[in-house]
Amino acid sequence: MDFSRFFLIILARHKLILFTLIMTISTTLLVSLLMPKSYKSTAVMVLTQKGADPVTGLIMSPQQITGYMATQLDIIKSSRTALMVVDQLRLDQNEAVISQHKQSNSSLGMREWLAALLLNNLEIETSRDSSVIRISFKGTDPAFTSIIANAFANAYQEISVRLTAEPSQKAASYFTDHLNVLRNRLEVAQKKLTEYQHSHGIVDADSRLDIETKRLNDLASQLVVAQADRIGADSKFDGASRTSEALSITRNAVINNLKINLAQAESKFSEISQKLGKNHPSYIGAKAEVDKLRSELSRHISFTDRSALNQEVEISKALEEQKQKILTLNRSRDELQILERDVEGAHQAYNSAMQRLNQTTLEGQSTLSSVSILDVAKIPENPDSPKVLLNLVLSAFLGTLLGVGAGLLAEMIDRRVRSAEDLVDVLHAPVLGIIKRDMPKQRRLQLALPRLLR
């Protein structure tokens, strides 16, 4: 079917098409006028959670921000929020509502039935890349719709605070119980450290070890000096080698003076022996003085030798005792450091738990909400539905389609010849001519229009 034949069918069936269009528009208008009016009230909320948390200071990651809005929409549509609205407005105590619930024969309880009913008429709208949420409620009573919309906004604001505070309160309770355990552990570790210090007489192992080490070094130095004194005392200064004479240098002043006097006396005796004989009084006096000095030197050297030997033995014994004392102190210091590390670890764990307890307690007591009401829901002046003008426009379009469809269906049922081309299609014979007579203007238009279109 070409366009010319389609147009001829439309012209022929225009009454049916027009009747269908009028009936569709009339029916739509009648239904729109008879439908109960529905009002829509909207409360506008804004979320500020994309920044840092005012209590913890934490900043949400981009992945958390992406799913944050979807999570908030699910929270608003949750039954907990709806039940909070029912409790705030005390809808379950209304006699009319109780009567409707009984007539509905629902298996749900009063509160759950009301919550489901409210959620069916609730609409949530968001914009892309926006933190604004629009909470709308539809109903036949304009004042009731604004009340319910504002109630959902307030309930959502309150439940956002509860969802933040409740986990923190549970965490604070856990940290309080755990803090007692950590406190007991710290007290036990501190008690062990104190008892160990008292039993071993240790105040500070490191400083005491430094003192004892210094004392050990002093004893080692004294031992070296005592050994040098003993070696010097062993040298009798009577024909010893140069090495022995070099080692005979001692720190005893008496022995040094006696050696000097002996050297002078021997020098004087040598001069006298060369000039005088053995029986000369000067020779005898000089020899007696040399013998006396040698006797005193031997006596002092023997005494110094015994003193140096005793001193060396005493210092050696004290040195060994000091070494054992330092070794014992090292073992005590190792054990003390273990106890100190236990106390330090218990103290750090206690401080960390105390810090977390303070933070969770602050979060649990916080009433700050990341949700703010931007615009409260107002009582709507005009109904949201039915929209008569929009329905009429849609019905005109739909009526036109139905009318054209009805015309084509009627043409298929009652097929008629409306042009020369129809004769060719029906009779399969060529048209030799067309006889014209006086005919209505509309009929002449129907015959001439296909030629004009061609």
Side-chain angles (χ1 to χ4, degrees):
M1 180 185 296
D2 55 12
F3 182 74
S4 60
R5 295 182 182 179
F6 176 76
F7 189 77
L8 290 175
I9 294 173
I10 296 298
L11 290 178
R13 305 291 181 177
H14 68 281
K15 293 181 180 180
L16 179 60
I17 295 173
L18 185 60
F19 175 76
T20 305
L21 175 62
I22 293 174
M23 289 298 298
T24 304
I25 294 176
S26 301
T27 304
T28 304
L29 179 61
L30 181 62
V31 172
S32 299
L33 294 177
L34 294 178
M35 283 180 60
K37 294 182 179 180
S38 176
Y39 294 87
K40 180 179 179 181
S41 185
T42 303
V44 182
M45 314 287 292
V46 61
L47 305 181
T48 59
Q49 191 61 34
K50 289 188 177 182
D53 189 89
V55 177
T56 61
L58 299 177
I59 300 177
M60 297 179 63
S61 63
Q63 292 80 7
Q64 292 175 323
I65 294 176
T66 303
Y68 181 72
M69 289 295 295
T71 303
Q72 301 309 305
L73 298 184
D74 293 337
I75 292 174
I76 298 174
K77 295 179 181 179
S78 65
S79 59
R80 182 177 178 181
T81 307
L83 290 173
M84 189 178 295
V85 172
V86 173
D87 296 336
Q88 288 178 355
L89 300 179
R90 299 180 180 179
L91 299 177
D92 54 339
Q93 300 178 8
N94 190 293
E95 296 296 335
V97 174
I98 295 175
S99 177
Q100 292 179 3
H101 177 257
K102 291 180 179 179
Q103 294 176 1
S104 64
N105 296 325
S106 175
S107 59
L108 298 175
M110 173 66 70
R111 296 174 65 252
E112 290 75 11
W113 178 77
L114 279 173
L117 193 62
L118 294 177
L119 290 176
N120 289 334
N121 296 325
L122 186 69
E123 294 182 0
I124 310 297
E125 299 177 1
T126 58
S127 301
R128 185 178 181 182
D129 298 330
S130 176
S131 299
V132 176
I133 299 178
R134 292 175 175 83
I135 302 176
S136 302
F137 187 80
K138 288 184 176 182
T140 57
D141 187 356
F144 182 74
T145 57
S146 63
I147 293 174
I148 296 298
N150 289 325
F152 266 98
N154 294 328
Y156 170 54
Q157 192 175 32
E158 182 178 351
I159 202 171
S160 64
V161 176
R162 291 187 181 182
L163 291 177
T164 304
E166 288 178 357
S168 300
Q169 292 173 357
K170 293 181 180 179
S173 177
Y174 165 76
F175 280 115
T176 301
D177 297 336
H178 190 60
L179 200 63
N180 296 328
V181 178
L182 294 178
R183 185 185 295 109
N184 295 333
R185 185 183 302 174
L186 177 60
E187 291 176 354
V188 171
Q190 187 66 49
K191 184 178 180 181
K192 288 183 179 179
L193 177 61
T194 304
E195 291 177 352
Y196 187 84
Q197 288 178 334
H198 282 297
S199 61
H200 291 78
I202 300 175
V203 178
D204 189 354
D206 292 334
S207 62
R208 182 177 175 183
L209 183 62
D210 294 338
I211 295 173
E212 298 296 340
T213 303
K214 184 178 180 181
R215 185 179 178 184
L216 178 65
N217 295 331
D218 293 339
L219 289 174
S221 301
Q222 293 176 12
L223 179 61
V224 172
V225 173
Q227 289 174 349
D229 291 342
R230 182 181 59 78
I231 293 173
D234 290 341
S235 178
K236 303 301 182 178
F237 205 72
D238 51 355
S241 62
R242 293 183 179 272
T243 305
S244 298
E245 292 178 356
L247 296 174
S248 65
I249 298 175
T250 179
R251 299 177 64 179
N252 196 320
V254 177
I255 294 177
N256 289 334
N257 291 330
L258 288 175
K259 287 181 179 182
I260 294 173
N261 294 332
L262 178 61
Q264 293 176 354
E266 288 179 348
S267 177
K268 183 178 178 181
F269 175 72
S270 177
E271 292 178 357
I272 291 174
S273 64
Q274 292 178 359
K275 296 179 180 180
L276 302 176
K278 295 182 179 181
N279 296 323
H280 193 276
S282 298
Y283 179 88
I284 296 173
K287 183 178 180 181
E289 184 179 2
V290 169
D291 293 338
K292 180 181 178 181
L293 290 174
R294 284 182 176 177
S295 176
E296 291 182 358
L297 180 60
S298 298
R299 182 170 58 82
H300 280 286
I301 287 176
S302 297
F303 177 76
T304 303
D305 189 14
R306 289 193 300 271
S307 299
L309 183 59
N310 293 333
Q311 187 178 7
E312 182 183 0
V313 172
E314 292 178 357
I315 294 176
S316 298
K317 183 178 179 181
L319 185 63
E320 291 297 328
E321 292 178 354
Q322 187 66 20
K323 287 181 180 179
Q324 294 298 326
K325 190 175 183 179
I326 289 180
L327 292 176
T328 303
L329 188 61
N330 283 331
R331 290 193 293 269
S332 300
R333 184 188 64 173
D334 295 338
E335 296 178 3
L336 183 64
Q337 287 179 348
I338 294 175
L339 294 176
E340 287 178 346
R341 284 195 293 269
D342 292 341
V343 172
E344 184 179 359
H347 195 269
Q348 290 179 354
Y350 180 80
N351 290 338
S352 300
M354 178 63 72
Q355 184 179 1
R356 289 289 297 141
L357 174 62
N358 294 333
Q359 182 178 353
T360 52
T361 302
L362 181 61
E363 294 176 4
Q365 296 175 352
S366 175
T367 58
L368 299 176
S369 176
S370 60
V371 181
S372 301
I373 298 178
L374 190 61
D375 289 326
V376 297
K378 301 177 179 61
I379 300 176
E381 297 179 356
N382 300 319
D384 181 68
S385 63
K387 299 178 180 179
V388 180
L389 183 59
L390 179 61
N391 292 342
L392 290 178
V393 173
L394 294 177
S395 65
F397 178 74
L398 180 61
T400 303
L401 293 180
L402 292 177
V404 171
L408 293 176
L409 181 61
E411 186 67 22
M412 292 175 61
I413 295 174
D414 185 12
R415 184 68 182 273
R416 297 186 180 186
V417 177
R418 304 190 182 278
S419 63
E421 287 77 5
D422 291 341
L423 289 174
V424 175
D425 294 337
V426 174
L427 301 177
H428 302 287
V431 177
L432 301 178
I434 298 175
I435 301 174
K436 295 183 179 180
R437 64 173 182 171
D438 293 337
M439 61 182 65
K441 184 177 181 181
Q442 182 180 2
R443 182 61 178 168
R444 291 199 302 270
L445 180 61
Q446 293 179 359
L447 294 175
L449 186 58
R451 295 187 184 90
L452 294 177
L453 291 176
R454 289 195 295 270

